Amino acid sequence: MNNTDPVSGYQTYDQPPGHGRPARDQATSRRIALAICTIADVAAGLLGLWIVLYLLDANQANPFVEFVHGMADWLSGWAQDIFTMDTEGLRVVLNYGLPAVIYLLIGHGIAARLNRA
């Protein structure tokens, strides 16, 4: 059986096991990719959680809400006030949502590249 259009990251049928990178290198690369995906997901999750807490008018004196807000501010510091709207809710969604999307795209893109290499 000859597979001429393999899905990236999977062994083709006509290649013997172990073709290409050694198994140890592949396992290490996959672990690093998983760690990068996890970090990107946590960062985007914190930003998304802050957006939800803000839109639901959470008590900002609560320690958990303060923690999430502080982490979201730190993670999105480079993107603060890119969008300046009169509507406060829309401003928060855009200024915290953009970094969340960028973290996901970059993190998962790097991980996919590591898995392909």
Side-chain angles (χ1 to χ4, degrees), residues 90-111:
L90 182 59
R91 187 188 64 77
V92 168
V93 168
L94 292 175
N95 284 324
Y96 289 93
L98 176 66
V101 170
I102 289 174
Y103 286 136
L104 287 174
L105 290 174
I106 290 174
H108 286 264
I110 291 171

Side-chain angles (χ1 to χ4, degrees), residues 43 46-47 67-80 96 103:
L46 282 168
L47 290 165
F67 170 76
V68 173
H69 186 200
M71 291 301 295
D73 279 344
W74 183 75
L75 287 167
S76 66
W78 57 270
Q80 286 302 306
Y96 289 93
Y103 286 136

Side-chain angles (χ1 to χ4, degrees), residues 7 13 15 19 31-32 35 39 41-42 48-49 54 56 60 65 71 73 77 80-82 87 95 103-104 111 116:
V7 177
Y13 295 113
Q15 293 176 348
H19 180 73
R31 284 189 191 108
I32 293 170
I39 291 168
D41 291 345
V42 168
L49 182 58
Y54 182 85
L56 294 176
Q60 297 203 14
V65 176
M71 291 301 295
D73 279 344
Q80 286 302 306
D81 297 328
I82 287 179
T87 308
N95 284 324
Y103 286 136
L104 287 174
R116 242 184 285 130

